[in-house]
């Protein structure tokens, strides 16, 4: 491996890490996450096709960044989510708005049908 190809490889891996960090920073179920995931997937596939990186590099980067963000490997986190009695924390975001705003559409229907 020449110095130039080693430099390209390290820059490619660095950018892949940054993209993965961006993906993890967005949140679990947001529209942006799907967009970033698709972009990252395309970027990594391009690296494989061009021969800049290998599949082992991808697995290592994903494991390291996932461990940094969530404290476990992707496989361990998946298993934890499948354990019985292991419920995810409730999402209270929907209750941040006052009730009259949450039920805005139902109030509109009530006024329309009465």
């Amino acid at each position: 491996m020449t110095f130039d190809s080693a430099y390209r490889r390290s820059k490619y891996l660095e950018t892949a890490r940054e993209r993965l960090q961006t993906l993890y920073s967005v949140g679990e179920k947001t529209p942006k996450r799907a967009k970033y995931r698709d972009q990252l997937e395309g970027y990594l596939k391009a690296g494989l096709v061009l021969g800049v990186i290998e599949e082992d590099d991808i697995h290592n980067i994903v494991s390291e960044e996932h461990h940094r963000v969530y404290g476990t490997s992707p496989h361990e986190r998946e298993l934890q989510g499948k354990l019985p009695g292991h419920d995810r924390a409730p999402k209270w975001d929907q209750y941040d708005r006052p009730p009259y705003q949450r039920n805005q559409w139902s109030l509109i229907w009530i006024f329309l049908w009465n």
Side-chain angles (χ1 to χ4, degrees), residues 3 29 44 63 67 94 99:
F3 177 75
K29 301 208 181 210
L44 294 175
S63 292
H67 196 277
Q94 63 182 342

Side-chain angles (χ1 to χ4, degrees), residues 6 24 68 106 110:
Y24 286 148
R68 183 183 304 172
S106 61
I110 291 170

Side-chain angles (χ1 to χ4, degrees), residues 66 72-88:
H66 193 279
T72 62
S73 72
H75 183 68
E76 290 172 351
R77 186 163 180 246
E78 182 182 341
L79 291 177
Q80 287 174 354
K82 291 181 179 179
L83 289 175
H86 183 281
D87 297 330
R88 300 216 184 265

Side-chain angles (χ1 to χ4, degrees), residues 5 18 35 49 73 83 105-106 114:
S5 62
E18 291 170 2
K35 173 186 161 189
V49 169
S73 72
L83 289 175
W105 286 108
S106 61
N114 287 331

Side-chain angles (χ1 to χ4, degrees), residues 28-108:
E28 288 290 322
K29 301 208 181 210
T30 62
K32 284 185 176 181
R33 186 174 179 92
K35 173 186 161 189
Y36 288 134
R37 185 191 64 237
D38 292 343
Q39 288 177 351
L40 176 65
E41 184 178 340
Y43 186 78
L44 294 175
K45 284 183 180 180
L48 290 172
V49 169
L50 294 172
V52 178
I53 59 173
E54 297 174 4
E55 294 234 2
D56 291 339
D57 298 326
I58 295 172
H59 292 294
N60 291 338
I61 290 171
V62 170
S63 292
E64 290 170 7
E65 292 303 320
H66 193 279
H67 196 277
R68 183 183 304 172
V69 172
Y70 297 109
T72 62
S73 72
H75 183 68
E76 290 172 351
R77 186 163 180 246
E78 182 182 341
L79 291 177
Q80 287 174 354
K82 291 181 179 179
L83 289 175
H86 183 281
D87 297 330
R88 300 216 184 265
K91 296 182 180 180
W92 299 102
D93 296 344
Q94 63 182 342
Y95 300 109
D96 288 344
R97 296 182 300 157
Y100 69 90
Q101 287 180 349
R102 279 184 262 147
N103 299 324
Q104 192 171 17
W105 286 108
S106 61
L107 291 175
I108 291 172

